[in-house]
Amino acid sequence: IAGDIFPSDYPKHLGNAGIGGRVSVTFTVETNGRVTGCRITRSSGIAELDALTCRLMEQRFVFRPSTDRYGRPIRDKVDWDHDWISPRGG
C-alpha cells in the first residue's frame, strides 16, 4: 500500500557504468504491514544492488497484511523481484 524504489536510488557509479540486474528477494510482511527479514533468493550479481534492495524494502515498504479466516492480520512470506535498469541500458 506504500513504498517505492525510485530511479534516484540507483547508485550513480553503477548507473554511469551501465550496470543493472534483477534481484529476487523473500521477506516477511508483519501484522502491521512492515517488511522484515528480507533476504536475497537470486542475486543480481552486484552485491551493492542486492543489499540496497533489501534495505529500501525494509525501510520504505508497507503492505496490507494477509489475514486469517477471522480477518485478523497474520505474518506472511512474500517473494518479490526488483529490476535495476541502468539509465545507460545495463
Side-chain angles (χ1 to χ4, degrees), residues 26-37:
T26 189
F27 53 84
T28 300
V29 174
E30 298 292 339
T31 58
N32 64 0
R34 299 299 304 198
V35 172
T36 62

Side-chain angles (χ1 to χ4, degrees), residues 23-82:
V23 181
S24 299
V25 300
T26 189
F27 53 84
T28 300
V29 174
E30 298 292 339
T31 58
N32 64 0
R34 299 299 304 198
V35 172
T36 62
C38 182
R39 66 180 180 82
I40 305 303
T41 56
R42 184 169 179 225
S43 174
S44 65
I46 299 95
E48 184 176 355
L49 292 180
D50 295 348
L52 182 58
T53 302
C54 273
R55 183 169 53 83
L56 294 175
M57 296 288 300
E58 290 181 347
Q59 287 176 351
R60 297 181 180 169
F61 282 65
V62 179
F63 291 86
R64 185 169 288 110
S66 296
T67 55
D68 66 13
R69 64 183 180 168
Y70 302 107
R72 297 177 296 214
I74 57 171
R75 298 173 83 212
D76 198 11
K77 291 281 188 190
V78 175
D79 296 320
W80 189 277
D81 293 327
H82 180 73

